[in-house]
Amino acid sequence: MATLGLIFSATHCQSSLTITKNRTIASVPVGGRYRLIDFTLSNMVNDGVNHIGLVTTTNYQSLIDHIESAKEWDLARKHGGLTLLPPYTNKPSKDNNRLESLRNIIDFIRRAPEEYVILTDSYHMCNIQYEPVFKELFNKKADIVCVYRKADLSKHDYTPVKTLTLANDGRVIELNFEEELKGKVNMSLDIWVMRKDLLVSLVEMAIKADLHSFNRDILSNHLDKYRVYGYEFKGYFNEVTSLKSYFDLNMDLLNIDIRSELFWTENRPIYTKVRDSAPTKYITGCKVSNSTIADGCIIEGTVENSVIFRGVTVKKGAVVKDCVLMQDTVIEEDANLQYVVTDKNVTVTNGTKIRGTHENIKYIKKFEVI
Amino acid sequence: MKRRKYCVAMLLAGGQGSRLYSLTTDVAKPAVTFGGKYKIIDFPLSNCVNSYIDTIGVLTQYQPLKLNQYIGNGQPWDLDRNFGGAHILPPYQKKVNTDWYRGTANAIYQNLPFIDQYDPEYVLILSGDHIYKMDYNKMIAVHRKNNADCTIAVLNVSLEEASRFGIMNTNPDGSIYEFEEKPKHPKSTKASMGIYLFNYSVLKKYLTEDDADPSSSNDFGKNIIPNMLKDGLKLYTYDFDGYWKDVGTLDSLWEANMDLLGENPNFNLNDEKWKIYSRNDAYPPQLIKAGATLENSTITEGCVIEGTVINSVLSNNVRVEKGAIVKDCVIFDDVLVEAGAKVEYAIIDSGVTIKKAVKVGAAKEKGAKLTVIAGGLTVKCDVASGTMLEEEN
C-alpha cells in the first residue's frame, strides 16, 4: 500500500530546553550514536514508506547536516525518497504549527502519487510498526486513526498535551488540550494516518476558512463528521521534554529489555548517519560498568552508569558516573563527573570536578572547555 | 563525450587464501574480517579514496558472493560514482578464449577493455590481502619525478625475513636492476609490497606480449617485471616506512589484530586524517554491564559484555556472558560466549556459539598454539589448543 510519510520537526514546545537551543528536537543526540529523528525515519523505512517529506521550520541546520542525502536510510531515490521541506514563506510565522506547515507543502502532498499518508512528529523514541495502525483504519472503516499511549501524567513534566477521550469501540469522541497535569490519560503521540485525499481536502477547507490549528480547528471540531479512531501503542516510548527527561531517556538504553525492543526487533533496525569511527579501545586499567559506549572512544579511566557517544576520550584517573557524554567529549586525567550532560566537543580539563544530582543535572554547552 | 581518469586502480581480490583455512571456506580472503568492524579489502579501498583515486576495478574469482555483496555499489567508500567508482570484475565469457584468471597479469590483461574506458595515464595494481595505510599520491609523485615506466612499493625488512619476499635489488638512485623472488641469499632487504604503478601504455604493451607467450605463468613478479627489466625500462622503488602486514596466514592475521591494541598501538585506526571506511550494519552501541572486566581490548557496536575480555579484538554483536573469559582472542561477528566459558588464544569465526563452561584453547603465555573455530559452529565440548575445528565436536 503506497504511503506518503510527513514528518514534522519542532512542532513541540521546546523553548525551555537547553539542548535544543541550536538544534531541532528531531536532531537531539540520543543513545550514543542516534538522533531522535532516526527512530521515526527508520520506523517508516522498515514499514516500506519510501516517500517522505521532512518539514522543518526553524534551527534546521543540524538536521540537514545529519540527514545529508538520506542515503543511510536508503532514501536517496529517484522515485520517492526523502524531500526536505523548509519554510516556504517570507513572512515571519504567526502560528508556527502543523497546519501552517501543511498549507505550505500542499502542492508537495497533492503531487505525491501515494494513496495514504502518515503524519508524525519527530520527538518519539520508540520502535513502532505502522502496519497495525492501518489495520485499525480498515477494520473500523475509519477516516482517520490517531496513535496514542496510556500515560500517567502525574509523572509527566510536560504541558500542554493532547489527550483522547475514547468510546468503547475506540472511536475518538473528544480531543482535549490539557494545560494541567492530570492522572491517567490517553496521550496522543501526534501520529495520524488517513487517506491522502482526505488530508488534502481538510487542508483546503482550513485554507478557505482561514483556520489556525490542525488539532483544534480541524480534527477536534469534526469528530462527529469523520470517523476518527484511536490506536493504542503498547511498546516502549519516551520523549525529551526537559534535561532530566533527556537524561532518563538515555539511561533507559542501559536496560537490556528496552535496548532489545528498540534495536533488536527483527527486520526493524534503527539506522543513523555512519561516522566510520574505529572500534572503541579499552586501555588496561580502565573500569567500565553498566554503560553503553559507541564506537571511536578511548577509555582509560572509570565509566559507570553512563551513555558515551562516538569519539569520546576518558583519560587515566578520570571518573565518569551517571553521565551522558556527547560526541567528541574529552575528559582529561583525574577529572571527576557525576550527573553531567556534556554537549558535543566539550573538554573537561585535568582534575576538574563537576557534580550534579539527579534532580539538578549539570549541562555543559557545545565546545566549552572547563 | 570523452572523459578520462588520471589513475585507475586494479585490486586483485580473487585469491583463495588457502593458508587461512576455514576462514576462507566461503569467502575470498579480501572479505575476511579484520580489526573488529573491517574487512581486509577496506584498507586498499580506503587508501584509494583517501588518495583521491575514485576508479577501482575489483577482480574477483574465488567465492565472490560475499565480497560482491560487501562492495555493492561502493557507497560506504564514496565510490558510487557516475563516472568511475568501484566495479566488480569477474572472469567473463568471450567469443574466443574464455578462461578463468590464470595469474595476476592475466587477470589485468582480461580487463584491459575496462581500463581503456578511462584512458588513464597510470594504472595502480593492488592486492586485497594487506593491512596498511598508504597515500598512493606520494608514490605517483615519486614515479613522475623519476620519469619511470613502473614503480614498485617496497618495505625494508630484516635480512632473515628477506628470503620470504620478492626482493628488489636497486642502484643508489632507487632504480631496480634485478628482481629476485624469495632469494636464498638476499642481496637487498627491499621487499615488494605487491603494489605496482605503471604507465598504462607500457603496461598494456607488456600484458599483451605476455598473453601471447604460452610459456609464461602470467604473473607480475615472475614475468612482467623481469621482462621490463630485460628490455631496459625504467623501474624504480618507492620506499614505504609505515605499518604493513601481509595477513595471509592465521598467525599473521592474529598478530595484525593484536597490533591494534594498546595506548600506542603499532597500527592506529583512530586516525581522523586517514579513516578506514567499511560497510556498517545498523547495530546499537555496545553495552558493558556491571561486573564486566575489560583490559587492553577493542570492542565494537552491538556487543554486550558481562564477562572478562583481555587482549582481544571483538567484532559486531559479540556477547560475552557472566563469568566467561575471552583472552588473546580475535572474535568475528555474531559470536556468543556463554556463561563460564573460557576462550584463550583463538580466532573465532562469525556465528559461533561457545556453550556454557566450555574451554577453547589454552594460555598463550604457557606456549599454547593458536586455536581456530570455523563459522557457525556450536562448540559443546572443550577444544584443545592448536585445533582447527571445522565440524561440531
Side-chain angles (χ1 to χ4, degrees), chain B residues 177-391:
Chain B
Y177 67 85
E178 191 186 20
F179 170 77
E180 285 183 294
E181 185 71 40
K182 295 181 183 149
K184 279 209 182 97
H185 306 288
K187 285 178 246 170
S188 143
T189 53
K190 289 185 170 183
S192 167
M193 298 163 65
I195 301 167
Y196 308 97
L197 181 71
F198 291 97
N199 292 344
Y200 181 49
S201 53
V202 175
L203 176 67
K204 195 171 174 178
K205 174 172 175 273
Y206 277 83
L207 286 177
T208 311
E209 285 173 12
D210 178 68
D211 188 66
D213 174 8
S215 67
S216 170
S217 46
N218 307 116
D219 187 84
F220 275 101
K222 287 187 196 126
N223 309 103
I224 304 294
I225 302 299
N227 286 345
M228 288 172 80
L229 283 170
K230 206 168 60 198
D231 292 352
L233 266 58
K234 288 202 267 184
L235 281 78
Y236 281 83
T237 55
Y238 169 72
D239 292 299
F240 178 74
D241 58 1
Y243 179 92
W244 179 87
K245 191 114 183 167
D246 182 338
V247 287
T249 65
L250 292 166
D251 285 315
S252 66
L253 181 69
W254 183 88
E255 279 164 23
N257 274 286
M258 293 300 134
D259 284 340
L260 303 172
L261 299 180
E263 220 169 328
N264 301 300
N266 293 336
F267 188 50
N268 183 18
L269 291 176
N270 290 67
D271 185 349
E272 283 297 310
K273 288 194 199 104
W274 204 268
K275 272 192 180 181
I276 304 301
Y277 300 93
S278 64
R279 193 172 280 281
N280 272 254
D281 284 316
Y283 288 112
Q286 52 199 272
L287 181 62
I288 312 297
K289 301 191 73 170
T293 304
L294 302 174
E295 241 179 72
N296 191 38
S297 294
T298 148
I299 299 178
T300 193
E301 283 157 353
C303 290
V304 179
I305 312 296
E306 273 188 278
T308 299
V309 180
I310 301 169
N311 303 334
S312 296
V313 175
L314 271 53
S315 299
N316 289 311
N317 191 22
V318 173
R319 283 162 297 158
V320 179
E321 293 187 348
K322 211 173 254 171
I325 296 172
V326 171
K327 197 181 168 201
D328 301 315
C329 285
V330 176
I331 301 197
F332 291 4
D333 296 347
D334 305 316
V335 168
L336 171 62
V337 182
E338 291 191 352
K342 189 173 188 183
V343 190
E344 285 182 284
Y345 191 28
I347 298 178
I348 313 291
D349 203 347
S350 51
V352 166
T353 299
I354 295 167
K355 300 298 279 181
K356 273 195 182 102
V358 165
K359 285 189 173 46
V360 173
K364 181 170 189 292
E365 62 271 22
K366 289 182 186 151
K369 284 193 190 132
L370 185 64
T371 306
V372 179
I373 310 287
L377 296 186
T378 301
V379 183
K380 296 175 194 129
C381 312
D382 291 0
V383 178
S385 125
T387 308
M388 265 191 273
L389 195 70
E390 296 195 47
E391 272 168 44

Side-chain angles (χ1 to χ4, degrees), chain A residues 31 33-34 71 259 263-264 270 274-282 284 286 288-293 295 300, chain B residues 35 37-38 75 260 262-263 265 275 277-278 280 282-286 288-290 294 296-301:
Chain A
R33 67 193 292 261
Y34 303 96
K71 64 182 175 189
R259 184 181 148 98
F263 303 115
W264 294 106
I270 303 299
V274 167
R275 203 174 107 131
D276 294 291
S277 324
T280 282
K281 273 175 109 165
Y282 297 92
T284 302
C286 74
V288 184
S289 159
N290 192 36
S291 295
T292 174
I293 299 180
D295 270 3
E300 289 187 73
Chain B
K37 66 189 291 191
Y38 306 97
Q75 183 254 316
L260 303 172
E263 220 169 328
K275 272 192 180 181
Y277 300 93
S278 64
N280 272 254
Y283 288 112
Q286 52 199 272
I288 312 297
K289 301 191 73 170
L294 302 174
N296 191 38
S297 294
T298 148
I299 299 178
T300 193
E301 283 157 353

Side-chain angles (χ1 to χ4, degrees), chain B residues 46-200:
Chain B
S46 301
N47 287 339
C48 280
V49 293
N50 288 337
S51 307
Y52 304 103
I53 295 169
D54 63 12
T55 307
I56 306 170
V58 181
L59 297 115
T60 61
Q61 178 156 287
Y62 174 80
Q63 285 287 14
L65 177 67
K66 284 187 184 161
L67 187 59
N68 292 355
Q69 194 183 24
Y70 185 72
I71 290 171
N73 66 350
Q75 183 254 316
W77 306 269
D78 252 356
L79 289 170
D80 46 337
R81 305 277 171 138
N82 286 328
F83 183 63
H87 295 264
I88 304 274
L89 303 171
Y92 55 96
Q93 201 178 15
K94 304 165 196 72
K95 227 169 188 176
V96 287
N97 297 335
T98 294
D99 206 347
W100 292 102
Y101 293 151
R102 292 192 308 271
T104 51
N106 178 258
I108 306 295
Y109 173 76
Q110 289 198 35
N111 287 289
L112 288 178
F114 169 81
I115 305 174
D116 282 335
Q117 293 177 94
Y118 299 102
D119 186 23
E121 199 69 35
Y122 306 112
V123 171
L124 181 67
I125 309 290
L126 303 169
S127 65
D129 38 15
H130 301 143
I131 302 295
Y132 64 112
K133 294 189 283 189
M134 179 171 167
D135 188 344
Y136 302 130
N137 266 326
K138 289 188 179 157
M139 183 173 175
I140 295 173
V142 168
H143 179 84
R144 291 186 59 175
K145 210 174 73 198
N146 289 331
N147 206 7
D149 295 300
C150 168
T151 300
I152 300 169
V154 293
L155 191 75
N156 225 340
V157 295
S158 67
L159 203 57
E160 302 85 74
E161 281 179 301
S163 10
R164 294 200 289 116
F165 290 97
I167 294 295
M168 303 295 157
N169 299 324
T170 57
N171 301 310
D173 68 347
S175 61
I176 302 166
Y177 67 85
E178 191 186 20
F179 170 77
E180 285 183 294
E181 185 71 40
K182 295 181 183 149
K184 279 209 182 97
H185 306 288
K187 285 178 246 170
S188 143
T189 53
K190 289 185 170 183
S192 167
M193 298 163 65
I195 301 167
Y196 308 97
L197 181 71
F198 291 97
N199 292 344
Y200 181 49

Side-chain angles (χ1 to χ4, degrees), chain B residues 29-46:
Chain B
K29 181 155 69 168
V32 168
T33 301
F34 178 81
K37 66 189 291 191
Y38 306 97
K39 307 283 180 201
I40 294 169
I41 199 166
D42 289 331
F43 291 84
L45 285 179
S46 301

